[in-house]
C-alpha cells in the first residue's frame, strides 16, 4: 500500500549568471542558503527529517558528501541523514522522486530534495601527468624519491583543465547537440525567440504579483534572478547573432537569447506525508504522483536532449492521460529549441498539442537561469504552487539532461 | 548579543583603569555597567526592602510577588538592598508626603531597583489627594536622576482591582530585564490572565535585525514560536533570525494591499492565531520638513503608522487570527514624543502610534485583548551607529544612565507586556530610554 507524497513548498536562491554576484561562494554555500531559507519558512529548525537528498552537476572532489556537509551547516537537526544524487540536469527532480518514493512507502515522513550548482566555482582538474606526479610525490618517503617524482614534471602538464560543457562521448557541446535537433525538427528562429520572450514576460509578471515571495529567499543582496530582462523584445532577440549550429548545413537559429547561460544557484523542496504536514499545520500545495525517466542513444544520432520525448508517453499512458488532460505543462528551457522540438515530437506521437497558455506560465529557465542540479527542484515547487493557486489540476514537468537522459513527473493538486 | 559597550568606545574606555581615573579627575560621565538578564540569575543583587507609607495597601502583595520570584528580604535593615519598594499609594495630604523623607537612608543603601507605588491620580477625587499622588511623579523622575551605579527608579500607578498586573510589574521592574527603563510611570490595572496555550505564537514585524531580531529572541526564550516577518529583500537575515530562535519566516511588505489578509490567513491557518503581535517594522527618511517630498513623507507614514493600523484591523476582523487574550505592542519612539529635527514624518508616525494604542485600548479590552506601546530612546542599533559622532555621543550621554540602551532592553519590555499576567497593562506607552532628557 502506498500513499502520495505532498509537496509542502519550496525555496531557492535567486539564480545569477556565472561569474557575477555569487562568483565567490561555493555550490555548498548556495545549498545551505536554499535549505536554511526553507527550514525557516516552515519552522523546521532543530527538526530531524527523514532525509535530505540533493546534488550538484559540477562537483569538486572535496564535495564527496556535499549534501551532508550542507545540512550540518543548516539549522536542521544534525541527525538528519542525507545522500547525494547526480543525474545531470535531472538531478533536482530525481531527488524529489526519490524522497517522494520513500514517503509513499512509509519509510520516511518528510524530507527535502534539491540541487545546487555553481558554474562560477567549477572544479578545475589538472593534467593527468601532473596528477600522477603529485600522487607519487605524496607517496614519496625520501628526498631522493621526491626529487625523482618532481623530475618527471613537464611544463605542459601545468595547464589546468577547466570543465567543458561537452558530452564525453561526442565532444560536442550541449548547444551543438541542440542545434542538430533544432535543424532536424525544423524549429524556426522566430518560434525560439517568441518562446524566450514569453519566458521573460511570464517570469516578470510572476515577480510582479509577488508569486515568488514564498518560493525564494534573497541571497547576498540579490533579490531576483539576474538573467531576467523584463523589457526585452522580439526585435532585441532577433538582433542577436547565432552561437550554435553555425557549421551545420542549414540556418543557425540558436542565440544567447534563446539558450540558457551558465548560472549559479540552488533550490530545495519540502516533501512530506499528508499526516506529517497536517500535524504541523503546514500547507499542502500539491502531490507528486508519479515520474518516469528515459534515455536515448545520442552517441548514435538520437537528439541529446530528447529523452523526455520517450518518457512522457510512458508516464501518461500509465495514468490513461494525454497532454490535453493537463492543466499546466512545464518543459525545462535548456534551449528554446529543445522545448519546441519536444512539443512537436509529443504531438507526432499522438499525445496532443500543448496550448501556449498552459506552458511555462511563470517563466522558465531562459529567463530564470539554469543552475543544472537546482532546476528540477525549482520547477517542482513552482508547479505545485501554480496548481494550488488554480485550486487544483494536473501538471506535467519535463526536464532533459546531459548524457541523453531525461525525467518527467506528474503533479496533482 | 553585543556587550553593553559594543558600539560605545567611550563607555568601554571609562571602565578601564586609566579611563576611570581620568573621568573621576575631570568630571566626565562614567556610565555604569548595566545588569541584564542572564539564564538562572537571581531576581535581585541583594535582599529586598518593602516599605509602606501612610495608608499603604499593597505591601503584602508586593512582598508576595517578590518572594515568589525568589527574592529575600532585608528586614534587619542593615545590608545593601537589591530593591527598595515604597508603597506611597495611600498618601493624601501634603504633610504625609514628608513620609518619603524617611526612605532616604534606604534609598542611599539600595543598589539595583527603586520602585514607588502610587494611586492613579485621576482616580483620586479629593484635590489635595490627587495633587499629592501626581507629585510622586516629580519625586520619582528626580530621584531617578540622583540614582547611581545603574540603579533605576520607576513609578507604578496601581488602579483599583489590579492584582496580577501589579505582581507582574513589581517582578519586571525589580528584575534585570528592566535595566534601561528608568524614571518612568506606568499604570497597572485590573485584567486577569487567560489560560496559557501549549503553543504560544508571536508575530514580530521587521524581525530581520535590530530591535525586531532581539524581540524575536526574547519572545522565543519565553516560550513563543515567533513568526518573523520582514520584506523579502531581508530574507537571508530573516531566515537566520528565525532559525536561531526556532521560529518561522513570512516574507511580507507590510504596506502591500494584500499584506493584512496574508498575515491574518497565515496566523489562522498555520497557528490557530497569534498570542502576541509586535508592530516593530519601521523606517526613517530624515529630511528637514521644507525639503520633504511626497515619497519620503508617504513611505514613512505608510510603514510606521498605516501598516500597524491596517494589520491590526485585519487581525481583529479575521476569525482565528488572534488567540484569546492576545496582546499588541507598537514600537513608538522617544523622538515621536519629543520631536526631532529632520524627523517630522517619523515623529508624526510614532506619535500617531500613541494615539492608536490609546484609541484601541478600551474596545480591545472588551474582547480580552490588550494593546500597549514602547518608546525606545537611544538604542545601539545600525540606525544610531550611522548617526554623526557628536549627536550620537550626546544621544548616549544625555540619559540618566549615561549610555545607549541595547535592542534586548526594548525586547525585554515588549516581552513583559506580552506576558499573560501583564493583562492589566493596557493603553500604556512605556519609554525604554534610560531616562533620556528628550521629551521626558
Amino acid at each position: 500500500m502506498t500513499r502520495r507524497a505532498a509537496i509542502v513548498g519550496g525555496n531557492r536562491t535567486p539564480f545569477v549568471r556565472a561569474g557575477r554576484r555569487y562568483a565567490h561562494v561555493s555550490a555548498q554555500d548556495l545549498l545551505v542558503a536554499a535549505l536554511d531559507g526553507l527550514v525557516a519558512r516552515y519552522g523546521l529548525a532543530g527538526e530531524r527529517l527523514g532525509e535530505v537528498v540533493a546534488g550538484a552537476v559540477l562537483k569538486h572532489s572535496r564535495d564527496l558528501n556535499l549534501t551532508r556537509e550542507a545540512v550540518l551547516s543548516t539549522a536542521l537537526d544534525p541527525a538528519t541523514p542525507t545522500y547525494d544524487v547526480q543525474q545531470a540536469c535531472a538531478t533536482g527532480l530525481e531527488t524529489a522522486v526519490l524522497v517522494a518514493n520513500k514517503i509513499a512507502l512509509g519509510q520516511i515522513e518528510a524530507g527535502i530534495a534539491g540541487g545546487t550548482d555553481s558554474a562560477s566555482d567549477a572544479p578545475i582538474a589538472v593534467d593527468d601527468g601532473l596528477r600522477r606526479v603529485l600522487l607519487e610525490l605524496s607517496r614519496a618517503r625520501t628526498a631522493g624519491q621526491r626529487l625523482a617524482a618532481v623530475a618527471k614534471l613537464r611544463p605542459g602538464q601545468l595547464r589546468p583543465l577547466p570543465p567543458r560543457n561537452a558530452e564525453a562521448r561526442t565532444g560536442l557541446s550541449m548547444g551543438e547537440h541542440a542545434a542538430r535537433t533544432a535543424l532536424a525538427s525544423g524549429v524556426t528562429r522566430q518560434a525560439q525567440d517568441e518562446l524566450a520572450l514569453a519566458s521573460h514576460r511570464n517570469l516578470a509578471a510572476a515577480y510582479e504579483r509577488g508569486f515568488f515571495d514564498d518560493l525564494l529567499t534573497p541571497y547576498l543582496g540579490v533579490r531576483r534572478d539576474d538573467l531576467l530582462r523584463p523589457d526585452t523584445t522580439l526585435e532585441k532577440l532577433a538582433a542577436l547573432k547565432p552561437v550554435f549550429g553555425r557549421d551545420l548545413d542549414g540556418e543557425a537559429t540558436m542565440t544567447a537569447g534563446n539558450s540558457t547561460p551558465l548560472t549559479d544557484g540552488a533550490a530545495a523542496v519540502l516533501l512530506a506525508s499528508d499526516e506529517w504536514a497536517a500535524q504541523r499545520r503546514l500547507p499542502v500545495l500539491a502531490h507528486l504522483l508519479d515520474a518516469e525517466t528515459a534515455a536515448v542513444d545520442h552517441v548514435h544520432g538520437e537528439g541529446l536532449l530528447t529523452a523526455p520525448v520517450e518518457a512522457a508517453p510512458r508516464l501518461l499512458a500509465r495514468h490513461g492521460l494525454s497532454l490535453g488532460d493537463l492543466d499546466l505543462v512545464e518543459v525545462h528551457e535548456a534551449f528554446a529549441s529543445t522545448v519546441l522540438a519536444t512539443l512537436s515530437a509529443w504531438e507526432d506521437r499522438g499525445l496532443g498539442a500543448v496550448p501556449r497558455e498552459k506552458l511555462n506560465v511563470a517563466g522558465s529557465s531562459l529567463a530564470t537561469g539554469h543552475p543544472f542540479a537546482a532546476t528540477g527542484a525549482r520547477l517542482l515547487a513552482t508547479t505545485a504552487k501554480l496548481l494550488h493557486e488554480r485550486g487544483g489540476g494536473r501538471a506535467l514537468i519535463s526536464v532533459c539532461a546531459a548524457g541523453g537522459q531525461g525525467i518527467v513527473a506528474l503533479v496533482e493538486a | 548579543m553585543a556587550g553593553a559597550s559594543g558600539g560605545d568606545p567611550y563607555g568601554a574606555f571609562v571602565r578601564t583603569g586609566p579611563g576611570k581615573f581620568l573621568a573621576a579627575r575631570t568630571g566626565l560621565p562614567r556610565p555604569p555597567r548595566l545588569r541584564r538578564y542572564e539564564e538562572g540569575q537571581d531576581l535581585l543583587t541583594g535582599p529586598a526592602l518593602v516599605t509602606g507609607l501612610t495608608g499603604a495597601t499593597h505591601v503584602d502583595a508586593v512582598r508576595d510577588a517578590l518572594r515568589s520570584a525568589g527574592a529575600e528580604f532585608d528586614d534587619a535593615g542593615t545590608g545593601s538592598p537589591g530593591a527598595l519598594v515604597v508603597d506611597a499609594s495611600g498618601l493624601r495630604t501634603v504633610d504625609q508626603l514628608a513620609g518619603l523623607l524617611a526612605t532616604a537612608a534606604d534609598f542611599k543603601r539600595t543598589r539595583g531597583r527603586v520602585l514607588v507605588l502610587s494611586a492613579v491620580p485621576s482616580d483620586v477625587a479629593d484635590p489635595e489627594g490627587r495633587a499629592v499622588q501626581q507629585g510622586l511623579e516629580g519625586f520619582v523622575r528626580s530621584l531617578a536622576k540622583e540614582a547611581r551605579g545603574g540603579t533605576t527608579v520607576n513609578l507604578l500607578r496601581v488602579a483599583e482591582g489590579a492584582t496580577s498586573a501589579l505582581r507582574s510589574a513589581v517582578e519586571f521592574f525589580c528584575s534585570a530585564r528592566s535595566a534601561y527603563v528608568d524614571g518612568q510611570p506606568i499604570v497597572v490595572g485590573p485584567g486577569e490572565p487567560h489560560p496559557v496555550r501549549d503553543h504560544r505564537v508571536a508575530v514580530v514585524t521587521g524581525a530581520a535585525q535590530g530591535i525586531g531580531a532581539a524581540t524575536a529572541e526574547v519572545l522565543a526564550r519565553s516560550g513563543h514560536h515567533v513568526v518573523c516577518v520582514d520584506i523579502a529583500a531581508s530574507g537571508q537575515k530573516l531566515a537566520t533570525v528565525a532559525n536561531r530562535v526556532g521560529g518561522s519566516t513570512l516574507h511580507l511588505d507590510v504596506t502591500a494591499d494584500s499584506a493584512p489578509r496574508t498575515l491574518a490567513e497565515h496566523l489562522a491557518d498555520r497557528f490557530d492565531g497569534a498570542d502576541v503581535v509586535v508592530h516593530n517594522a519601521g523606517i526613517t527618511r530624515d529630511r528637514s520638513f521644507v525639503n520633504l517630498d511626497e515619497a519620503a513623507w508617504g513611505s514613512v507614514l505608510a510603514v510606521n503608522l498605516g501598516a500597524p493600523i491596517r494589520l491590526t484591523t485585519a487581525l481583529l476582523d479575521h476569525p482565528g487570527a488572534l488567540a484569546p487574550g492576545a496582546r499588541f505592542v507598537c514600537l513608538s519612539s522617544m523622538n515621536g514624543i519629543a520631536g526631532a529635527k529632520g524627523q517630522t514624518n517619523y515623529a508624526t508616525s510614532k506619535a500617531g502610534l500613541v494615539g492608536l494604542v490609546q484609541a484601541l485600548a478600551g474596545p480591545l479590552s472588551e474582547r480580552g485583548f490588550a494593546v500597549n506601546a514602547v518608546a525606545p530612546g537611544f538604542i545601539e542599533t545600525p540606525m544610531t551607529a550611522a548617526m554623526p559622532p557628536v549627536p550620537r555621543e550626546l544621544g548616549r550621554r544625555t540619559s540618566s544612565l549615561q549610555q545607549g540602551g541595547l535592542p534586548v532592553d526594548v525586547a525585554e519590555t515588549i516581552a513583559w507586556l506580552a506576558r499573560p499576567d501583564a493583562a492589566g497593562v493596557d493603553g500604556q506607552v512605556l519609554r525604554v530610554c534610560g531616562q533620556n532628557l528628550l521629551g521626558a
Side-chain angles (χ1 to χ4, degrees):
Chain A
M1 198 202 70
T2 60
R3 54 185 181 173
R4 299 179 307 167
I7 301 161
V8 173
N11 183 59
R12 65 180 179 92
T13 68
F15 291 171
V16 167
R17 188 188 286 264
R20 293 193 182 167
R21 297 288 289 276
Y22 299 164
H24 301 291
V25 297
S26 67
Q28 187 182 313
D29 295 333
L30 290 164
L31 183 57
V32 170
L35 289 173
D36 257 345
L38 187 70
V39 166
R41 181 162 300 139
Y42 296 103
L44 304 177
E47 284 231 33
R48 179 175 63 84
L49 297 181
E51 64 188 20
V52 176
V53 188
V57 174
L58 300 171
K59 225 172 160 186
H60 287 264
S61 52
R62 65 163 189 253
D63 288 337
L64 174 73
N65 237 342
L66 173 71
T67 310
R68 176 65 184 151
E69 293 302 325
V71 164
L72 287 174
S73 294
T74 69
L76 285 171
D77 185 339
T80 299
T82 71
Y83 61 95
D84 285 18
V85 167
Q86 201 176 49
Q87 198 182 40
C89 306
T91 302
L93 191 51
E94 186 66 84
T95 56
V97 172
L98 294 166
V99 171
N101 286 350
K102 283 202 184 178
I103 291 167
L105 288 173
Q107 293 170 344
I108 61 171
E109 291 299 317
I112 296 175
T116 179
D117 256 301
S118 171
S120 301
D121 187 38
I124 289 179
V126 295
D127 180 274
D128 254 357
L130 173 60
R131 202 168 54 83
R132 283 193 205 99
V133 169
L134 291 173
L135 287 171
E136 197 176 321
L137 203 57
S138 72
R139 287 191 294 265
R141 289 286 167 272
T142 67
Q145 284 171 342
R146 285 194 194 97
L147 205 62
V150 174
K152 291 179 187 161
L153 213 54
R154 298 290 171 269
Q157 293 169 338
L158 295 174
R159 191 181 59 233
L161 307 172
R164 292 179 309 154
N165 191 9
E167 283 300 309
R169 285 174 182 272
T170 63
L172 287 178
S173 73
M174 217 171 275
E176 289 302 330
H177 270 286
R180 280 155 176 75
T181 306
L183 204 59
S185 312
V187 175
T188 66
R189 165 80 184 262
Q190 165 97 9
Q192 292 178 48
D193 287 350
E194 280 170 4
L195 192 88
L197 182 67
S199 191
H200 285 281
R201 293 216 168 135
N202 289 344
L203 182 67
Y207 268 111
E208 210 50 52
R209 66 189 176 92
F211 180 75
F212 292 108
D213 282 356
D214 60 356
L215 286 176
L216 182 147
T217 303
Y219 182 57
L220 300 185
V222 183
R223 303 171 187 195
R224 285 186 174 198
D225 309 312
D226 80 339
L227 290 145
L228 172 61
R229 299 276 171 275
D231 53 351
T232 196
T233 60
L234 270 185
E235 292 69 40
K236 285 183 189 166
L237 288 165
L240 298 170
K241 287 204 179 74
V243 290
F244 299 118
R246 282 184 301 194
D247 58 343
L248 297 181
D249 211 11
E251 190 203 350
T253 57
M254 293 176 52
T255 67
N258 57 37
S259 311
T260 52
L262 292 172
T263 320
D264 303 336
V269 53
L270 176 63
L271 298 144
S273 66
D274 285 332
E275 302 78 44
W276 187 91
Q279 275 164 16
R280 283 158 184 75
R281 312 242 341 215
L282 295 178
V284 170
L285 299 178
H287 290 91
L288 179 52
L289 271 197
D290 198 0
E292 176 86 18
T293 52
V296 294
D297 185 2
H298 67 285
V299 185
H300 299 99
E302 287 192 80
L304 175 74
L305 304 177
T306 62
V309 174
E310 309 294 329
R314 303 206 296 243
L315 176 67
L316 292 175
R318 190 148 71 225
H319 296 268
L321 297 171
S322 76
L323 288 175
D325 300 317
L326 302 172
D327 301 282
L328 295 171
V329 177
E330 289 287 333
V331 184
H332 159 50
E333 297 169 339
F335 303 94
S337 65
T338 313
V339 180
L340 295 165
T342 302
L343 292 180
S344 94
W346 281 342
E347 209 168 341
D348 292 346
R349 303 220 171 187
L351 289 188
V354 175
R356 285 304 163 88
E357 65 270 17
K358 292 184 180 179
L359 179 72
N360 300 351
V361 298
S364 192
S365 308
L366 286 170
T368 314
H370 172 41
F372 309 119
T375 291
R378 168 184 75 77
L379 275 169
L380 188 61
T382 299
T383 306
K385 186 175 172 189
L386 285 169
L387 285 178
H388 183 69
E389 268 189 345
R390 292 171 49 94
R394 278 194 207 102
L396 180 79
I397 301 174
S398 166
V399 182
C400 58
Q405 306 208 84
I407 182 167
V408 294
L410 204 52
V411 181
E412 189 176 64
Chain B
M1 224 159 282
S5 58
D8 181 1
Y10 172 78
F13 171 68
V14 295
R15 281 185 207 117
T16 64
K20 242 180 237 164
F21 174 79
L22 208 68
R25 297 292 291 269
T26 54
L28 285 169
R30 292 160 68 186
R33 189 186 295 278
L34 303 185
R35 178 176 185 251
R36 291 190 167 87
Y37 172 81
E38 283 168 29
E39 177 99 37
Q41 99 193 135
D42 289 337
L43 181 73
L44 304 173
T45 52
L49 184 56
V50 184
T51 304
L53 304 183
T54 315
T57 53
H58 304 301
V59 171
D60 289 343
V62 169
R63 288 180 68 97
D64 282 352
L66 290 172
R67 189 178 298 112
S68 58
E72 288 170 1
F73 294 94
D74 179 33
D75 292 327
T78 48
S80 173
L84 167 64
V85 183
V86 180
D87 182 354
S89 61
L91 304 183
R92 290 294 181 273
T93 68
V94 175
D95 288 347
Q96 286 168 351
L97 276 172
L100 290 168
L101 266 179
T103 66
D106 296 334
F107 170 70
K108 194 179 173 191
R109 289 191 297 135
T110 302
R111 292 287 171 271
R113 298 288 178 261
V114 176
L115 200 53
V116 176
L117 270 53
S118 78
V120 180
S122 58
D123 288 350
V124 180
D126 163 52
E128 184 175 357
R130 180 166 178 171
V132 164
Q133 287 298 313
Q134 185 64 42
L136 291 173
E137 183 174 327
F139 172 73
V140 161
R141 287 186 189 276
S142 303
L143 205 58
K145 295 184 182 189
E146 289 189 16
R148 288 290 170 265
T151 296
T152 63
V153 185
N154 290 290
L155 179 66
L156 285 192
R157 288 176 169 150
V158 188
E160 196 68 39
T163 50
S164 295
L166 170 60
R167 296 168 59 100
S168 176
V170 166
E171 187 187 330
F172 171 71
F173 280 96
C174 286
S175 75
R177 296 169 200 259
S178 61
Y180 201 62
V181 183
D182 195 12
Q184 301 304 309
I186 190 162
V187 177
V188 292
E192 286 302 307
H194 271 262
V196 180
R197 299 200 301 172
D198 284 347
H199 302 287
R200 304 193 70 212
V201 175
V203 184
V204 180
T205 66
Q209 59 185 345
I211 291 171
T215 301
E217 205 150 318
V218 175
L219 286 171
R221 188 219 288 155
S222 59
H224 296 84
H225 175 99
V226 185
V227 179
C228 302
V229 176
D230 214 312
I231 52 171
S234 300
Q236 194 181 353
K237 279 191 207 161
L238 191 66
T240 306
V241 172
N243 285 337
R244 190 171 63 226
V245 307
S248 56
T249 54
L250 179 66
H251 294 173
L252 197 67
D253 172 356
V254 291
T255 63
D257 289 342
S258 57
R261 197 178 144 193
T262 304
L263 181 63
E265 285 179 353
H266 188 81
L267 294 174
D269 297 349
R270 291 269 297 272
F271 300 104
D272 274 335
D275 300 271
V276 184
V277 179
V278 183
H279 291 300
N280 164 71
I283 58 168
T284 54
R285 295 287 180 272
D286 295 355
R287 226 162 291 167
S288 63
F289 179 59
V290 291
N291 291 329
L292 269 178
D293 58 18
E294 221 163 282
W297 178 270
S299 57
V300 168
L301 268 296
V303 173
N304 299 4
L305 184 57
I309 294 172
R310 290 171 60 236
L311 294 179
T312 302
T313 307
L315 296 182
L316 290 169
D317 289 349
H318 192 96
L322 295 170
R327 304 296 165 71
F328 289 89
V329 182
C330 293
L331 267 288
S332 183
S333 165
M334 171 178 83
N335 285 358
I337 295 167
K341 195 171 154 186
Q343 287 199 321
T344 50
N345 50 357
Y346 183 78
T348 304
S349 70
K350 293 298 185 181
L353 288 172
V354 174
L356 179 67
V357 162
Q358 290 166 345
L360 289 176
L364 256 62
S365 70
E366 286 164 23
R367 293 177 57 179
F369 303 140
V371 52
N372 293 285
V374 294
F378 187 99
I379 303 295
E380 304 285 354
T381 65
M383 195 173 94
T384 50
M387 287 170 66
V390 171
R392 187 174 66 218
E393 204 49 28
L394 277 173
R396 280 183 181 132
R397 304 304 159 213
T398 48
S399 73
S400 294
L401 296 173
Q402 298 180 324
Q403 60 193 296
L406 298 182
V408 69
D409 297 327
V410 184
E412 297 281 12
T413 304
I414 293 168
W416 169 58
L417 291 169
R419 268 171 55 162
D421 62 5
V425 183
D426 194 20
Q428 300 290 298
V429 181
L430 182 53
R431 290 176 50 137
V432 185
C433 64
Q435 200 182 28
N436 199 291
L437 291 176
L438 288 181

